[in-house]
Amino acid sequence: MKLQRKNRLRATALGALAVSSALVLTACGSDDNSGADTGSGAKKTTAAASDIKCDGAQGQLRASGSSAQKNAMDLWVKNYMAACSGAEVNYNSSSSGEGIVAFNQGTVSFAGSDSALKPEEVAESKKICKTGQGINLPMVGGPIAIGFHLEGVDSLVLDAPTLAKIFDTKIKKWNDPAIAKLNSGVKLPDTAIQPFHRSEDSGTTQNLGKYLNAAASSDWKYEAEKKWPAPGGQAASGSAGVAAQVKQVNGSIGYFELSYAASQQISTVDINTGGSAPVKATSENASKAIAAAKIKGTGKDLALDLDYTTKAEGAYPIVLVTYEVVCDTGNKADTLGSVKSFLTYTSSTEGQKVLVDAGYAPIPEAINAKVRETVAALS
Protein backbone atom coordinates (compact mmCIF):
# COMPACT_ATOMS: atom_id res chain seq x y z
CA MET A 1 0.00 0.00 0.00
CA LYS A 2 2.85 2.37 0.89
CA LEU A 3 4.63 1.69 -2.40
CA GLN A 4 1.43 2.09 -4.43
CA ARG A 5 0.59 5.44 -2.81
CA LYS A 6 4.12 6.77 -3.32
CA ASN A 7 4.13 5.60 -6.92
CA ARG A 8 0.78 7.28 -7.56
CA LEU A 9 1.92 10.60 -6.08
CA ARG A 10 5.27 10.35 -7.86
CA ALA A 11 3.54 9.75 -11.19
CA THR A 12 1.38 12.85 -10.72
CA ALA A 13 4.38 14.94 -9.78
CA LEU A 14 6.38 13.68 -12.75
CA GLY A 15 3.44 14.46 -15.02
CA ALA A 16 3.45 18.07 -13.86
CA LEU A 17 7.23 18.19 -14.18
CA ALA A 18 7.06 16.83 -17.73
CA VAL A 19 4.60 19.51 -18.75
CA SER A 20 6.66 22.21 -17.06
CA SER A 21 9.84 20.98 -18.74
CA ALA A 22 8.13 20.89 -22.09
CA LEU A 23 7.01 24.47 -21.63
CA VAL A 24 10.51 25.58 -20.69
CA LEU A 25 11.86 23.93 -23.82
CA THR A 26 9.18 25.65 -25.85
CA ALA A 27 10.19 28.97 -24.35
CA CYS A 28 13.85 28.30 -25.12
CA GLY A 29 12.94 27.53 -28.70
CA SER A 30 10.72 30.57 -29.19
CA ASP A 31 13.44 32.80 -30.63
CA ASP A 32 12.42 31.72 -34.12
CA ASN A 33 11.93 35.00 -35.97
CA SER A 34 9.65 33.46 -38.56
CA GLY A 35 6.56 34.11 -36.41
CA ALA A 36 3.99 36.57 -37.71
CA ASP A 37 3.62 39.97 -36.06
CA THR A 38 0.07 40.41 -34.78
CA GLY A 39 0.31 44.17 -35.16
CA SER A 40 -0.17 44.70 -31.42
CA GLY A 41 3.47 44.40 -30.37
CA ALA A 42 3.18 40.73 -29.49
CA LYS A 43 4.52 38.18 -31.95
CA LYS A 44 3.07 34.69 -32.23
CA THR A 45 5.94 32.26 -32.73
CA THR A 46 5.93 28.96 -34.56
CA ALA A 47 6.37 27.28 -31.15
CA ALA A 48 3.05 28.66 -29.95
CA ALA A 49 0.30 26.31 -28.89
CA SER A 50 -2.59 26.19 -31.35
CA ASP A 51 -5.08 27.65 -28.87
CA ILE A 52 -2.99 30.71 -27.97
CA LYS A 53 -4.00 33.88 -29.79
CA CYS A 54 -1.71 36.81 -29.11
CA ASP A 55 -3.91 39.48 -30.68
CA GLY A 56 -4.01 42.50 -28.38
CA ALA A 57 -1.40 41.12 -25.97
CA GLN A 58 1.30 43.61 -25.07
CA GLY A 59 3.37 44.86 -22.17
CA GLN A 60 3.04 43.62 -18.61
CA LEU A 61 -0.14 42.04 -17.25
CA ARG A 62 -0.24 42.12 -13.45
CA ALA A 63 -2.46 39.77 -11.44
CA SER A 64 -2.46 38.32 -7.93
CA GLY A 65 -4.41 36.18 -5.51
CA SER A 66 -5.10 32.50 -4.90
CA SER A 67 -2.10 30.33 -4.08
CA ALA A 68 -4.32 27.32 -4.84
CA GLN A 69 -3.89 27.92 -8.57
CA LYS A 70 -0.18 28.81 -8.43
CA ASN A 71 1.05 25.61 -10.08
CA ALA A 72 -1.58 25.91 -12.81
CA MET A 73 -0.77 29.57 -13.34
CA ASP A 74 2.95 28.79 -13.57
CA LEU A 75 2.28 26.40 -16.46
CA TRP A 76 -0.10 28.77 -18.20
CA VAL A 77 2.26 31.73 -17.93
CA LYS A 78 5.23 29.78 -19.30
CA ASN A 79 3.23 28.48 -22.23
CA TYR A 80 1.62 31.83 -22.98
CA MET A 81 4.81 33.87 -22.79
CA ALA A 82 6.59 31.34 -24.99
CA ALA A 83 3.91 31.86 -27.61
CA CYS A 84 3.51 35.63 -27.33
CA SER A 85 6.83 37.43 -27.34
CA GLY A 86 6.46 40.98 -26.09
CA ALA A 87 3.76 39.97 -23.60
CA GLU A 88 4.57 39.48 -19.92
CA VAL A 89 2.28 38.01 -17.28
CA ASN A 90 3.20 38.57 -13.64
CA TYR A 91 1.01 36.57 -11.23
CA ASN A 92 1.72 37.12 -7.54
CA SER A 93 0.63 34.03 -5.62
CA SER A 94 -0.52 35.47 -2.29
CA SER A 95 -4.04 34.59 -1.16
CA SER A 96 -7.59 34.97 -2.39
CA GLY A 97 -8.29 37.75 0.10
CA GLU A 98 -5.20 39.73 -0.89
CA GLY A 99 -5.99 39.25 -4.57
CA ILE A 100 -9.49 40.71 -4.25
CA VAL A 101 -8.16 43.64 -2.23
CA ALA A 102 -5.56 44.33 -4.93
CA PHE A 103 -8.20 44.09 -7.66
CA ASN A 104 -10.54 46.50 -5.88
CA GLN A 105 -7.65 48.89 -5.34
CA GLY A 106 -6.91 48.83 -9.05
CA THR A 107 -3.32 47.57 -8.71
CA VAL A 108 -3.92 44.38 -10.76
CA SER A 109 -5.89 43.68 -13.93
CA PHE A 110 -7.43 40.47 -12.61
CA ALA A 111 -7.42 38.51 -9.37
CA GLY A 112 -7.52 34.82 -8.53
CA SER A 113 -9.95 33.81 -5.78
CA ASP A 114 -11.07 30.43 -4.47
CA SER A 115 -14.33 32.00 -3.34
CA ALA A 116 -16.77 34.08 -5.35
CA LEU A 117 -16.99 37.79 -4.64
CA LYS A 118 -19.20 38.80 -1.73
CA PRO A 119 -21.90 41.43 -2.35
CA GLU A 120 -19.85 44.08 -0.57
CA GLU A 121 -16.80 43.19 -2.69
CA VAL A 122 -18.89 43.50 -5.86
CA ALA A 123 -20.07 46.92 -4.67
CA GLU A 124 -16.48 47.97 -4.01
CA SER A 125 -15.40 46.77 -7.48
CA LYS A 126 -17.68 49.32 -9.16
CA LYS A 127 -15.19 52.05 -8.21
CA ILE A 128 -12.59 50.33 -10.40
CA CYS A 129 -14.89 48.92 -13.08
CA LYS A 130 -16.17 52.38 -14.00
CA THR A 131 -19.01 51.16 -16.22
CA GLY A 132 -19.52 47.71 -14.74
CA GLN A 133 -18.57 45.46 -11.83
CA GLY A 134 -16.36 42.56 -10.85
CA ILE A 135 -17.48 39.11 -12.02
CA ASN A 136 -16.33 35.56 -11.26
CA LEU A 137 -14.99 33.35 -14.06
CA PRO A 138 -14.43 29.71 -12.92
CA MET A 139 -11.07 28.70 -14.36
CA VAL A 140 -9.42 26.03 -12.18
CA GLY A 141 -11.02 23.12 -10.36
CA GLY A 142 -9.54 20.54 -8.08
CA PRO A 143 -9.60 18.62 -4.84
CA ILE A 144 -8.57 20.09 -1.52
CA ALA A 145 -6.35 17.28 -0.35
CA ILE A 146 -6.14 16.48 3.34
CA GLY A 147 -2.46 15.67 3.73
CA PHE A 148 -1.01 13.88 6.72
CA HIS A 149 2.34 12.71 8.04
CA LEU A 150 2.15 9.82 10.46
CA GLU A 151 5.15 7.52 10.70
CA GLY A 152 4.17 3.93 10.01
CA VAL A 153 0.82 4.84 8.45
CA ASP A 154 0.49 5.39 4.70
CA SER A 155 -3.23 4.95 4.15
CA LEU A 156 -5.91 6.72 6.16
CA VAL A 157 -9.69 7.12 5.91
CA LEU A 158 -11.59 9.95 7.61
CA ASP A 159 -15.12 11.30 7.39
CA ALA A 160 -16.45 14.84 7.78
CA PRO A 161 -17.37 14.65 11.50
CA THR A 162 -13.97 13.22 12.40
CA LEU A 163 -12.16 15.83 10.29
CA ALA A 164 -14.18 18.57 11.97
CA LYS A 165 -13.19 17.34 15.43
CA ILE A 166 -9.53 17.02 14.40
CA PHE A 167 -9.31 20.56 13.00
CA ASP A 168 -11.27 21.86 16.01
CA THR A 169 -8.69 20.10 18.25
CA LYS A 170 -11.40 18.01 19.89
CA ILE A 171 -9.68 14.79 18.76
CA LYS A 172 -6.09 15.00 19.96
CA LYS A 173 -4.51 11.56 19.39
CA TRP A 174 -4.14 9.53 16.22
CA ASN A 175 -5.36 6.35 17.93
CA ASP A 176 -8.63 7.99 18.99
CA PRO A 177 -11.54 5.52 18.76
CA ALA A 178 -13.30 7.64 16.11
CA ILE A 179 -10.28 7.38 13.81
CA ALA A 180 -9.70 3.71 14.64
CA LYS A 181 -13.30 2.87 13.74
CA LEU A 182 -12.76 4.23 10.21
CA ASN A 183 -9.44 2.40 9.79
CA SER A 184 -10.00 -1.20 10.78
CA GLY A 185 -6.78 -3.21 10.71
CA VAL A 186 -4.51 -0.15 10.69
CA LYS A 187 -2.12 0.15 13.64
CA LEU A 188 -2.54 3.76 14.74
CA PRO A 189 0.13 5.15 17.09
CA ASP A 190 -0.50 7.09 20.29
CA THR A 191 0.87 10.22 18.63
CA ALA A 192 -0.42 13.73 19.22
CA ILE A 193 -2.26 15.25 16.25
CA GLN A 194 -0.78 18.53 15.04
CA PRO A 195 -3.26 20.26 12.71
CA PHE A 196 -1.99 23.02 10.43
CA HIS A 197 -4.09 25.75 8.83
CA ARG A 198 -3.56 28.86 6.70
CA SER A 199 -2.33 31.98 8.48
CA GLU A 200 -3.82 34.47 6.00
CA ASP A 201 -7.27 34.92 4.49
CA SER A 202 -7.72 32.01 2.12
CA GLY A 203 -10.37 30.75 -0.24
CA THR A 204 -9.04 27.24 0.38
CA THR A 205 -9.85 27.69 4.07
CA GLN A 206 -13.33 28.94 3.18
CA ASN A 207 -14.03 26.00 0.87
CA LEU A 208 -12.91 23.52 3.53
CA GLY A 209 -15.25 25.34 5.93
CA LYS A 210 -18.13 25.04 3.46
CA TYR A 211 -17.52 21.29 3.25
CA LEU A 212 -17.41 20.90 7.04
CA ASN A 213 -20.50 23.11 7.47
CA ALA A 214 -22.45 21.02 4.99
CA ALA A 215 -21.22 17.52 5.84
CA ALA A 216 -20.54 17.85 9.58
CA SER A 217 -22.89 20.59 10.77
CA SER A 218 -23.21 19.07 14.25
CA ASP A 219 -19.45 19.12 14.80
CA TRP A 220 -18.30 22.27 12.94
CA LYS A 221 -20.03 25.34 14.34
CA TYR A 222 -17.99 28.00 12.57
CA GLU A 223 -18.98 30.17 9.65
CA ALA A 224 -17.22 29.38 6.37
CA GLU A 225 -14.92 32.40 6.13
CA LYS A 226 -11.53 33.00 4.56
CA LYS A 227 -9.93 33.52 7.96
CA TRP A 228 -9.31 30.32 9.94
CA PRO A 229 -12.02 30.27 12.64
CA ALA A 230 -11.15 27.51 15.10
CA PRO A 231 -8.88 27.79 18.15
CA GLY A 232 -5.72 25.76 18.44
CA GLY A 233 -3.63 24.26 15.71
CA GLN A 234 -0.66 25.91 14.03
CA ALA A 235 -0.62 28.40 11.16
CA ALA A 236 1.52 28.54 8.04
CA SER A 237 1.57 30.89 5.08
CA GLY A 238 0.01 29.76 1.81
CA SER A 239 -0.74 26.26 0.62
CA ALA A 240 2.99 25.77 0.09
CA GLY A 241 3.68 26.66 3.72
CA VAL A 242 1.05 24.29 5.10
CA ALA A 243 2.31 21.47 2.85
CA ALA A 244 5.92 22.10 3.94
CA GLN A 245 4.96 21.80 7.60
CA VAL A 246 2.98 18.60 7.05
CA LYS A 247 5.93 17.17 5.13
CA GLN A 248 8.29 17.86 8.04
CA VAL A 249 6.24 17.25 11.18
CA ASN A 250 5.31 13.76 12.35
CA GLY A 251 1.71 13.58 13.56
CA SER A 252 0.64 16.50 11.39
CA ILE A 253 -2.40 17.05 9.19
CA GLY A 254 -3.29 19.96 6.92
CA TYR A 255 -5.18 20.98 3.80
CA PHE A 256 -3.91 22.13 0.42
CA GLU A 257 -4.35 21.51 -3.27
CA LEU A 258 -3.46 18.08 -4.64
CA SER A 259 -0.53 19.41 -6.65
CA TYR A 260 1.30 20.28 -3.42
CA ALA A 261 0.78 16.75 -2.09
CA ALA A 262 1.99 15.26 -5.35
CA SER A 263 5.11 17.40 -5.68
CA GLN A 264 6.19 16.70 -2.09
CA GLN A 265 4.98 13.08 -1.96
CA ILE A 266 2.65 13.72 0.97
CA SER A 267 0.11 11.01 1.81
CA THR A 268 -3.52 12.09 1.49
CA VAL A 269 -6.68 11.08 3.32
CA ASP A 270 -9.43 9.08 1.59
CA ILE A 271 -12.85 10.52 2.44
CA ASN A 272 -15.73 8.38 3.66
CA THR A 273 -18.75 10.15 2.14
CA GLY A 274 -21.26 7.47 3.12
CA GLY A 275 -21.06 5.98 -0.35
CA SER A 276 -20.03 2.43 -1.17
CA ALA A 277 -16.30 3.09 -0.69
CA PRO A 278 -13.98 5.86 0.56
CA VAL A 279 -13.00 8.31 -2.18
CA LYS A 280 -9.42 9.28 -3.01
CA ALA A 281 -8.33 12.83 -3.71
CA THR A 282 -7.72 12.75 -7.46
CA SER A 283 -8.39 15.15 -10.32
CA GLU A 284 -10.82 12.70 -11.87
CA ASN A 285 -12.80 12.28 -8.65
CA ALA A 286 -12.91 16.04 -8.10
CA SER A 287 -14.22 16.50 -11.64
CA LYS A 288 -17.13 14.18 -10.82
CA ALA A 289 -18.15 16.50 -7.99
CA ILE A 290 -17.60 19.74 -9.91
CA ALA A 291 -19.61 18.45 -12.88
CA ALA A 292 -22.73 18.58 -10.71
CA ALA A 293 -22.22 22.28 -9.88
CA LYS A 294 -24.87 24.81 -10.86
CA ILE A 295 -24.25 28.40 -11.94
CA LYS A 296 -25.67 30.67 -9.24
CA GLY A 297 -24.30 33.95 -10.60
CA THR A 298 -26.49 36.31 -12.59
CA GLY A 299 -25.77 38.16 -15.81
CA LYS A 300 -22.14 37.65 -16.81
CA ASP A 301 -21.18 36.39 -13.36
CA LEU A 302 -20.49 32.64 -13.40
CA ALA A 303 -20.14 31.87 -9.69
CA LEU A 304 -20.91 28.19 -8.97
CA ASP A 305 -22.94 26.36 -6.33
CA LEU A 306 -21.00 23.21 -5.34
CA ASP A 307 -22.52 20.14 -3.63
CA TYR A 308 -20.24 19.32 -0.68
CA THR A 309 -22.49 16.52 0.58
CA THR A 310 -22.47 14.42 -2.58
CA LYS A 311 -22.48 10.66 -2.15
CA ALA A 312 -22.15 10.02 -5.88
CA GLU A 313 -19.92 7.07 -6.68
CA GLY A 314 -16.30 8.17 -6.88
CA ALA A 315 -17.05 11.88 -6.33
CA TYR A 316 -14.50 13.56 -4.04
CA PRO A 317 -16.48 16.11 -2.01
CA ILE A 318 -13.81 18.54 -0.75
CA VAL A 319 -13.35 20.60 -3.89
CA LEU A 320 -12.70 24.18 -4.77
CA VAL A 321 -13.02 26.25 -7.89
CA THR A 322 -10.65 29.15 -8.42
CA TYR A 323 -12.20 32.14 -10.16
CA GLU A 324 -10.44 34.80 -12.19
CA VAL A 325 -12.07 38.06 -11.13
CA VAL A 326 -12.35 40.72 -13.85
CA CYS A 327 -14.58 43.67 -14.72
CA ASP A 328 -17.45 42.73 -17.00
CA THR A 329 -17.13 46.22 -18.52
CA GLY A 330 -14.81 49.08 -17.67
CA ASN A 331 -11.55 47.12 -17.77
CA LYS A 332 -8.41 49.23 -18.11
CA ALA A 333 -7.89 49.97 -21.79
CA ASP A 334 -4.11 49.47 -21.69
CA THR A 335 -4.38 45.87 -20.41
CA LEU A 336 -7.78 44.79 -21.77
CA GLY A 337 -6.23 43.11 -24.81
CA SER A 338 -3.78 41.17 -22.68
CA VAL A 339 -6.48 40.12 -20.20
CA LYS A 340 -8.70 38.79 -22.98
CA SER A 341 -5.83 37.09 -24.79
CA PHE A 342 -4.48 35.36 -21.66
CA LEU A 343 -7.86 34.26 -20.30
CA THR A 344 -8.90 33.08 -23.76
CA TYR A 345 -5.94 30.71 -23.58
CA THR A 346 -6.52 29.54 -19.98
CA SER A 347 -10.16 28.74 -20.77
CA SER A 348 -9.33 27.04 -24.07
CA THR A 349 -9.39 23.28 -24.57
CA GLU A 350 -5.60 23.22 -24.58
CA GLY A 351 -5.30 25.48 -21.54
CA GLN A 352 -7.68 23.32 -19.52
CA LYS A 353 -5.99 20.12 -20.65
CA VAL A 354 -2.70 20.96 -18.89
CA LEU A 355 -4.53 21.18 -15.56
CA VAL A 356 -4.81 17.41 -15.21
CA ASP A 357 -1.05 16.96 -15.43
CA ALA A 358 -0.61 19.56 -12.69
CA GLY A 359 -3.02 17.82 -10.28
CA TYR A 360 -6.05 20.00 -10.98
CA ALA A 361 -9.45 19.32 -12.53
CA PRO A 362 -10.61 21.05 -15.73
CA ILE A 363 -13.80 23.07 -15.56
CA PRO A 364 -16.65 21.01 -17.10
CA GLU A 365 -17.15 21.94 -20.74
CA ALA A 366 -20.76 23.10 -20.32
CA ILE A 367 -19.57 25.73 -17.84
CA ASN A 368 -16.29 26.46 -19.61
CA ALA A 369 -18.10 27.31 -22.84
CA LYS A 370 -19.86 30.12 -20.97
CA VAL A 371 -16.51 31.29 -19.59
CA ARG A 372 -15.06 31.58 -23.10
CA GLU A 373 -18.13 33.46 -24.28
CA THR A 374 -17.87 35.90 -21.37
CA VAL A 375 -14.13 36.48 -21.87
CA ALA A 376 -14.73 37.30 -25.53
CA ALA A 377 -17.28 39.95 -24.52
CA LEU A 378 -15.13 41.74 -21.91
CA SER A 379 -14.83 45.43 -22.63
Side-chain angles (χ1 to χ4, degrees), residues 46-325:
T46 54
S50 60
D51 281 358
I52 299 182
K53 310 300 181 186
C54 303
D55 297 352
Q58 58 184 347
Q60 186 181 77
L61 178 60
R62 291 171 56 84
S64 69
S66 166
S67 66
Q69 69 171 356
K70 178 186 184 300
N71 295 330
M73 194 61 73
D74 285 348
L75 293 180
W76 280 336
V77 168
K78 287 178 183 178
N79 205 5
Y80 182 79
M81 288 176 59
C84 301
S85 62
E88 181 182 352
V89 181
N90 184 350
Y91 182 78
N92 176 30
S93 172
S94 51
S95 70
S96 298
E98 292 172 271
I100 290 174
V101 168
F103 178 77
N104 281 340
Q105 290 177 342
T107 59
V108 296
S109 296
F110 73 87
S113 177
D114 306 323
S115 295
L117 293 168
K118 296 179 179 178
E120 59 268 28
E121 292 169 338
V122 173
E124 185 72 14
S125 73
K126 294 179 180 180
K127 299 176 183 178
I128 298 300
C129 308
K130 300 297 185 182
T131 60
Q133 65 182 40
I135 57 172
N136 305 282
L137 301 178
M139 200 67 70
V140 181
I144 300 175
I146 307 299
F148 71 97
H149 176 180
L150 186 58
E151 292 180 5
V153 178
D154 303 297
S155 180
L156 191 68
V157 175
L158 296 174
D159 59 12
T162 308
L163 270 176
K165 292 171 187 174
I166 287 173
F167 280 116
D168 200 18
T169 63
K170 299 290 176 57
I171 292 180
K172 301 180 182 297
K173 295 280 190 175
W174 278 110
N175 62 350
D176 187 275
I179 301 176
K181 184 178 179 180
L182 292 164
N183 294 273
S184 177
V186 177
K187 186 176 181 180
L188 296 166
D190 183 29
T191 302
I193 299 175
Q194 300 193 53
F196 282 89
H197 58 262
R198 293 281 290 272
S199 60
E200 72 289 348
D201 285 5
S202 160
T204 310
T205 295
Q206 188 171 38
N207 278 277
L208 175 63
K210 289 178 180 178
Y211 164 72
L212 294 174
N213 278 162
S217 58
S218 296
D219 299 290
W220 190 255
K221 300 299 186 179
Y222 308 101
E223 293 295 324
E225 299 291 347
K226 292 176 184 176
K227 185 175 182 62
W228 181 256
Q234 301 180 61
S237 178
S239 292
V242 175
Q245 290 298 317
V246 172
K247 175 74 172 178
Q248 296 171 10
V249 178
N250 182 40
S252 61
I253 188 169
Y255 58 95
F256 33 79
E257 294 64 45
L258 181 62
S259 59
Y260 292 94
S263 63
Q264 299 197 44
Q265 297 187 18
I266 297 172
S267 297
T268 60
V269 170
D270 297 344
I271 301 298
N272 183 337
T273 64
S276 62
V279 184
K280 297 185 180 300
T282 68
S283 296
E284 180 182 4
N285 291 344
S287 290
K288 292 176 182 177
I290 295 171
K294 307 295 183 184
I295 295 176
K296 65 179 180 180
T298 58
K300 295 181 180 179
D301 184 75
L302 300 177
L304 301 178
D305 187 14
L306 298 168
D307 181 6
Y308 295 99
T309 60
T310 178
K311 292 180 174 59
E313 194 69 25
Y316 183 81
I318 319 177
V319 295
L320 62 74
V321 169
T322 300
Y323 300 95
E324 311 312 337
V325 176

